[in-house]
Amino acid sequence: MSRPKLQIALDHNELEAALADVFKVGEIVDIIEVGTILCLQEGRKAISCIRSMFPEKTIVADTKCADAGGTVAKNVTDAGADFMTVICCATIPTMEAAQKEVKELQVELYGDWTYEQAAEWRRIGIKQAIYHQSRDALLSGETWGEKDLSKVKKLIEMGFDVSVTGGLNVDTLKLFEGIEVYNFITGRGISGAADPVKAANDFKNEIIRIWGE
Ligand code: 5RP
């Protein structure tokens, strides 16, 4: 079973704060995400700054795009992103248009979606899905549990590379032991820590402890 990757989500309101954090932990993580909040605040400038700081890293633009997929995907690709997210309720034509302009498209799962839709995403060649517990669901008392694990496993069986995200901390990771998660995405677990470098290393070491090198 291959080792899940670690992705930092930069959900800062200000570019300067995001750059300060990514400067510290960018070499520890495998993937750097320009989070939705930062995309809305600073968009293209944030992606291009981070690309110049980390020419070799995989960068995700978490646009959660719902429409104009081709235009948004071209814009983030031109700015330096490798991956981009679309929301699961976007239409197939939106996803197809985005796919033509970006290296890899990720479908972000929120709210209501079905395995029939997921089969359609696979049919058009989408490989990546992001299984998400939203901030707002977590705030209203949701927790990670068996219901999530079974959906993640089913998506993996369907051939998706599944990323997991939403309020993760180091202790959450062991819930996924034995499951071939592609990538763990954490924002506040690193950026909100008193020592972001230690937090990023703690996440990485726990992944290695559970899944190996
Ligand atoms: C919010 C997101 C976040 O980037 C993602 O959930 C990680 O954030 P956190 O670990 O702080 O919950 O996509 O829409």
Side-chain angles (χ1 to χ4, degrees), residues 84-122:
M84 169 188 137
T85 62
V86 284
I87 194 77
C88 55
C89 59
T91 63
I92 292 294
T94 294
M95 294 185 187
E96 285 177 322
Q99 260 185 311
K100 290 191 188 130
E101 303 291 345
V102 72
K103 267 189 217 148
E104 281 194 41
L105 191 67
Q106 307 177 307
V107 179
E108 186 133 8
L109 306 174
Y110 273 99
D112 295 326
W113 54 274
T114 65
Y115 292 112
E116 287 72 28
Q117 285 175 295
E120 274 294 282
W121 305 331
R122 289 294 296 127

Side-chain angles (χ1 to χ4, degrees), residues 9 11 33 35-36 62 64 108 110 132-133 135 138 165-168 185-189:
D11 281 314
E33 170 192 320
T36 311
D62 186 14
K64 296 186 174 62
E108 186 133 8
Y110 273 99
H132 203 130
Q133 292 256 28
R135 277 182 185 219
L138 290 163
T165 189
L168 295 181
I185 305 171
T186 177
R188 290 162 293 173

Side-chain angles (χ1 to χ4, degrees), residues 112-212:
D112 295 326
W113 54 274
T114 65
Y115 292 112
E116 287 72 28
Q117 285 175 295
E120 274 294 282
W121 305 331
R122 289 294 296 127
R123 185 187 64 74
I124 65 166
I126 293 178
K127 181 84 177 136
Q128 294 202 45
I130 301 180
Y131 187 87
H132 203 130
Q133 292 256 28
S134 78
R135 277 182 185 219
D136 299 333
L138 290 163
L139 280 174
S140 67
E142 278 281 338
T143 51
W144 287 97
E146 196 49 52
K147 64 178 188 333
D148 306 300
L149 302 186
S150 62
K151 289 182 195 161
V152 168
K153 283 187 214 160
K154 171 109 193 224
L155 290 163
I156 293 171
E157 279 163 27
M158 293 176 76
F160 286 101
D161 289 340
V162 180
S163 296
V164 167
T165 189
L168 295 181
N169 56 51
V170 172
D171 286 340
T172 326
L173 303 186
K174 57 178 168 301
L175 263 179
F176 294 87
E177 185 158 7
I179 303 177
E180 196 153 9
V181 172
Y182 171 69
N183 180 30
F184 287 106
I185 305 171
T186 177
R188 290 162 293 173
I190 294 177
S191 295
D195 182 346
V197 172
K198 178 178 181 310
N201 278 317
D202 287 349
F203 270 99
K204 193 147 197 183
N205 290 336
E206 181 67 352
I207 291 172
I208 290 169
R209 185 189 71 75
I210 298 172
W211 283 271

